[in-house]
Amino acid sequence: MGILSEALPATKLVYFDDMWQLQAHGRVLSVVEQDGDRLAVIINQTIMYPQGGGQPCDTGNIISVDSQQKFRVEDVRSKSGLVYHYGYYEVAEGEEATSAFQKGEDVTMVIDAERRSFNSRLHTAGHLLDACMSNVGLTSFEPGKGHHFPDGPYVEYKGTIPAADTEKMRAALEAEANRLVSAGGQVSAVVVPYLEAAALCGGVLPDYIPKESCPRVVSLGDNLGGPCGGTHVYDIKQIGHINVTQIRVRKGTTKVSYKLKDDGLVSVA
């Protein structure tokens, strides 16, 4: 264990291609201490989502293939292309700690499935609201900040709704969201050149995406796609019932708050 001093290759983000893989193998590149006493494991690839883009991080375990030493992951962050899995080595009461992970050691990553499922449902619901805004006539409203956390998820849009119409639009958005959920549709993610990504998103991408990049686009069924680096459900039906709880308008921005009816994974028939 030591401070990161050598240049390491960027972490491969397995969830970019497979958002539903909950277990995978990897190879330890480094174990580092940061911020005084925070211990982090860096692996050549990861299925664990690092917090960002309005979505909470995954949690889970990293387990040595040889020694079965277990590292409990409580936080995941991405910095300069490297994904840091923060946590601690688990030691059973009355037992002594085994050795720390070594560079090159083979490990197995296991994600906490229930947390991943709920976070993915919340995130997909937020994206579905983008389609609903257009479907109920608010075509000029551009999505801005999204907060897809269990403690009060919402999406903000550039544009304002007259105060007298907010309740009517809240009801319309909720009805449209649940119509789309009932209809279902496969969720897909692709990494493509800029112009192709723009076409999937209706012809335009946000200004913060470089024109020389290859953005990742997530599409929900037949709806327009959107640039996104997060995880989502396999089918729109898995979101379950959506409650649009409130619409607030302030300083040229419309904030649409929502919640899900339950915290379990909805099966797809």
Side-chain angles (χ1 to χ4, degrees):
M1 180 177 65
I3 304 300
L4 187 64
S5 58
E6 59 180 318
L8 297 177
T11 307
K12 180 182 178 181
L13 307 178
V14 177
Y15 62 83
F16 252 39
D17 300 313
D18 187 346
M19 296 181 283
W20 311 288
Q21 187 174 350
L22 301 178
Q23 182 170 321
H25 295 291
R27 186 179 70 257
V28 174
L29 298 182
S30 185
V31 180
V32 301
E33 286 184 355
Q34 291 190 332
D35 304 325
D37 58 355
R38 295 192 76 195
L39 195 61
V41 177
I42 302 173
I43 309 172
N44 67 314
Q45 62 178 12
T46 188
I47 55 174
M48 296 190 180
Y49 181 75
Q51 183 167 313
Q55 179 179 335
C57 70
D58 283 320
T59 57
N61 295 304
I62 301 173
I63 306 165
S64 169
V65 172
D66 293 330
S67 70
Q68 295 302 300
Q69 170 69 65
K70 182 184 291 186
F71 185 87
R72 178 62 188 169
V73 179
E74 296 183 304
D75 188 18
V76 186
R77 303 284 170 153
S78 179
K79 303 175 184 178
S80 302
L82 296 177
V83 175
Y84 294 76
H85 305 79
Y86 292 97
Y88 59 91
Y89 291 106
E90 284 193 351
V91 180
E93 186 175 352
E95 294 184 3
E96 294 184 2
T98 58
S99 59
F101 292 158
Q102 301 299 312
K103 181 179 179 180
E105 187 168 357
D106 291 326
V107 293
T108 300
M109 294 164 280
V110 182
I111 287 177
D112 290 337
E114 185 174 336
R115 176 184 171 97
R116 161 65 76 84
S117 170
F118 193 44
N119 289 343
S120 295
R121 289 175 61 214
L122 283 170
H123 198 164
T124 309
H127 277 244
L128 194 66
L129 285 175
D130 296 345
C132 294
M133 293 287 283
S134 179
N135 291 353
V136 300
L138 303 176
T139 55
S140 64
F141 283 56
E142 180 183 341
K145 179 181 179 181
H147 180 80
H148 312 296
F149 284 67
D151 60 334
Y154 63 84
V155 182
E156 291 183 347
Y157 298 90
K158 295 179 181 178
T160 59
I161 298 172
D165 294 337
T166 55
E167 175 54 27
K168 180 179 69 175
M169 295 310 301
R170 184 207 65 77
L173 284 171
E174 181 170 298
E176 178 62 13
N178 288 301
R179 184 189 71 81
L180 293 176
V181 168
S182 295
Q186 187 173 346
V187 178
S188 61
V190 293
V191 178
V192 292
Y194 183 91
L195 290 179
E196 187 174 343
L200 291 172
C201 298
V204 65
L205 290 173
D207 292 338
Y208 64 81
I209 297 180
K211 288 183 170 54
E212 65 275 11
S213 67
C214 289
R216 181 175 183 257
V217 176
V218 171
S219 300
L220 311 184
D222 296 329
N223 300 289
L224 288 177
C228 180
T231 66
H232 294 271
V233 298
Y234 176 79
D235 190 283
I236 297 171
K237 285 186 177 180
Q238 291 180 305
I239 298 172
H241 187 83
I242 299 174
N243 290 327
V244 176
T245 56
Q246 185 182 54
I247 292 179
R248 295 184 63 183
V249 180
R250 184 181 181 186
K251 295 181 179 179
T253 299
T254 295
K255 179 179 178 181
V256 179
S257 299
Y258 66 98
K259 66 179 181 179
L260 302 184
K261 187 174 181 180
D262 61 76
D263 59 357
L265 177 63
V266 178
S267 62
V268 178

